[in-house]
């Protein structure tokens, strides 16, 4: 027995930062960002904590499933940008929503949501849970060096959540890590012990072209592998939910896969790359727009720092 998705939810910060607004303090242009990435704007946490966002997404998903805080057996949060190093983001969300079940984080960068689903799968397989809340929430704007124009224009903030219950919705899921630190990393805080060299400032450092090369391969291999593992062919897939890192990466996947481009769900123009939150936000938006029908087969794929990648096929079980 594995799981089915019972409900979804999302939350975005109020502040929208358009490319034009970004140009007032970053040496870039709307034309460069749109043509190289497909991004037009992003939401940025100015007033909200990440816990605020994640708890809002969680409450929406729980209300939609008719699940109360006391019904939850486990809370998993995928994030690399939480409010605290410790306690975990899952812990601060647990407090905010008034739950009391075990709660912990999964750190796997952009594919973190799919890594968290893999952890959840194990709990269902062992009969350890009936209701699991999985949240992916990121305030990537906090990790940016806003003087680094090749990185800061790419990301946005947001949160998505799902409530899972026992079921047969999960058809295949695979996670991968290829230890390559120098391609994309954020140095950790070091404390202030007198006499010890202080660490670098804690900003994301990225070799964009290396990530790009990794991403295009990871995206196609991941999707194909998960579709095959599910015993399906590309023609069976109703919707693809690709990681929203760069429209050119998505277009590359569209050109290589035997799945019509209109079946790829996309919101990168409005939201940019919200890291682990991309896929659950996309799920909730697509559900709200009435695109997802019960029985639809969804193929998902994401890649990120690590280098990590993950892919899954899930049958949509919600009416
Ligand atoms: N505005 C204007 N010019 C810019 C900007 C900008 N924002 N950023 C870079 N440039 C310039 C560069 O300085 C360079 O100028 P030069 O030729 O005079 O030196 C020129 O544009 C070309 O730069 P490239 O790096 O070659 O641009 P590229 O086409 O490779 O696009 C990008 C860069 C968008 C970063 C691309 O490589 C990319 O999307 N990579 C993948 C990144 C990604 O997906 N990251 C998320 C990983 S997920 C996670 O876990 C967080």
């Amino acid at each position: 027995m594995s799981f089915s998705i019972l409900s979804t939810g999302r939350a975005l910060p109020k502040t929208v930062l358009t490319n034009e607004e970004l140009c007032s303090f970053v040496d870039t242009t709307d034309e460069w960002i749109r043509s190289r990435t497909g991004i037009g704007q992003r939401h940025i946490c100015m007033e909200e904590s990440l816990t605020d966002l994640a708890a809002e997404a969680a409450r929406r998903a729980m209300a939609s499933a008719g699940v109360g805080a006391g019904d939850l057996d486990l809370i998993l949060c995928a994030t690399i940008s939480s409010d605290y190093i410790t306690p975990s983001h899952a812990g601060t969300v647990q407090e905010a929503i008034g739950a009391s079940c075990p709660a912990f984080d999964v750190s796997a960068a952009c594919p973190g949501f799919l890594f968290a689903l893999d952890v959840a799968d194990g709990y269902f397989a062992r009969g350890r849970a009936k209701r699991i809340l999985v949240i992916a929430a990121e305030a990537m704007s906090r990790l940016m060096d806003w003087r680094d124009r090749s990185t800061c224009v790419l990301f946005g903030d947001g949160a998505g959540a799902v409530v899972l219950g026992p079921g047969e919705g999960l058809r295949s899921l695979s996670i991968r890590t290829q230890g390559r630190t120098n391609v994309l990393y954020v140095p950790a805080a070091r404390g202030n012990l007198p006499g010890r060299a202080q660490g670098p400032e804690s900003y994301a450092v990225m070799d964009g072209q290396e990530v790009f090369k990794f991403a295009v391969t990871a995206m196609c291999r991941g999707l194909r592998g998960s579709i095959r593992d599910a015993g399906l062919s590309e023609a069976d897939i109703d919707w693809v939910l690709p990681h929203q890192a760069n429209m050119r990466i998505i277009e590359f996947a569209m050109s290589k896969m035997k799945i019509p481009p209109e079946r790829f769900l996309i919101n990168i123009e409005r939201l940019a790359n919200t890291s682990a939150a991309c896929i659950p936000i996309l799920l909730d938006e697509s559900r709200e727009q009435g695109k997802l029908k019960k029985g639809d087969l969804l193929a998902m794929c994401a890649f990120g720092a690590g280098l990590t990648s993950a892919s899954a096929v899930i049958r949509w079980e919600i009416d």
Side-chain angles (χ1 to χ4, degrees):
M1 173 68 75
S2 186
F3 65 75
S4 293
I5 296 176
L6 305 183
S7 66
T8 62
R10 71 180 189 281
L12 295 168
K14 287 192 200 78
T15 304
V16 173
L17 182 62
T18 64
N19 290 348
E20 286 84 0
E21 288 161 338
L22 196 59
C23 293
S24 68
F25 61 98
V26 177
D27 179 19
T28 188
T29 61
D30 176 54
E31 197 282 328
W32 192 97
I33 302 171
R34 280 184 190 275
S35 62
R36 298 292 179 118
T37 71
I39 295 166
Q41 62 173 40
R42 70 284 295 141
H43 289 246
I44 300 286
C45 286
M46 296 298 281
E47 308 152 30
E48 306 88 348
S49 70
L50 193 63
T51 302
D52 293 337
L53 275 193
E56 192 182 333
R59 283 190 201 100
R60 288 181 179 166
M62 289 160 63
S64 167
V67 165
D71 301 322
L72 295 174
D73 300 310
L74 180 67
I75 300 171
L76 296 169
C77 279
T79 186
I80 55 167
S81 52
S82 61
D83 294 327
Y84 302 93
I85 289 178
T86 192
S88 70
H89 187 54
T92 61
V93 173
Q94 187 223 46
E95 184 178 25
I97 64 173
S100 56
C101 58
F104 60 91
D105 289 352
V106 174
S107 172
C110 297
F113 175 69
L114 298 178
F115 276 64
L117 292 187
D118 198 39
V119 176
D121 182 33
Y123 274 79
F124 285 112
R126 287 181 287 134
R128 292 276 303 275
K130 290 212 158 40
R131 293 290 177 269
I132 299 182
L133 172 64
V134 178
I135 304 164
E138 301 282 17
M140 296 301 288
S141 59
R142 290 180 186 160
L143 303 182
M144 293 299 114
D145 178 353
W146 291 90
R147 299 160 299 189
D148 175 3
R149 66 180 182 171
S150 62
T151 304
C152 71
V153 301
L154 302 175
F155 294 95
D157 303 342
V162 294
V163 175
L164 306 177
E168 302 298 337
L170 180 67
R171 302 292 299 271
S172 67
L173 174 55
S174 93
I175 60 171
R176 295 165 290 274
T177 305
Q178 197 187 95
R180 285 177 69 193
T181 305
N182 62 350
V183 179
L184 177 52
Y185 60 92
V186 183
R190 296 275 184 91
N192 60 357
L193 179 68
R196 185 170 61 198
Q198 293 304 295
E201 290 178 295
S202 192
Y203 299 128
V205 180
M206 183 179 74
D207 180 340
Q209 291 185 357
E210 277 304 305
V211 176
F212 198 99
K213 279 188 248 168
F214 170 72
V216 289
T217 311
M219 186 83 100
C220 296
R221 273 198 196 147
L223 286 171
R224 286 192 188 115
S226 284
I227 292 168
R228 192 185 52 240
D229 292 348
L232 299 166
S233 72
E234 293 178 35
D236 297 320
I237 298 301
D238 296 289
W239 300 106
V240 179
L241 290 88
H243 180 42
Q244 307 286 303
N246 185 320
M247 195 57 211
R248 288 189 294 148
I249 296 172
I250 298 172
E251 283 167 354
F252 181 88
M254 286 172 172
S255 73
K256 296 288 174 198
M257 306 288 300
K258 296 189 197 82
I259 301 174
E262 59 274 16
R263 293 199 201 158
F264 283 67
L265 298 171
I266 291 157
N267 61 14
I268 188 171
E269 198 276 336
R270 285 179 290 112
L271 302 185
N273 179 355
T274 56
S275 185
C278 283
I279 288 179
I281 290 175
L282 203 49
L283 263 182
D284 189 54
E285 283 190 348
S286 306
R287 178 200 54 77
E288 195 173 83
Q289 292 159 1
K291 287 182 176 157
L292 310 181
K293 304 279 182 264
K294 189 170 182 183
D296 277 0
L297 291 162
L298 318 182
M300 309 172 180
C301 188
F303 53 85
L307 292 167
T308 50
S309 59
S311 47
V313 172
I314 295 178
R315 197 175 54 211
W316 189 248
E317 302 283 350
I318 302 175
D319 279 319

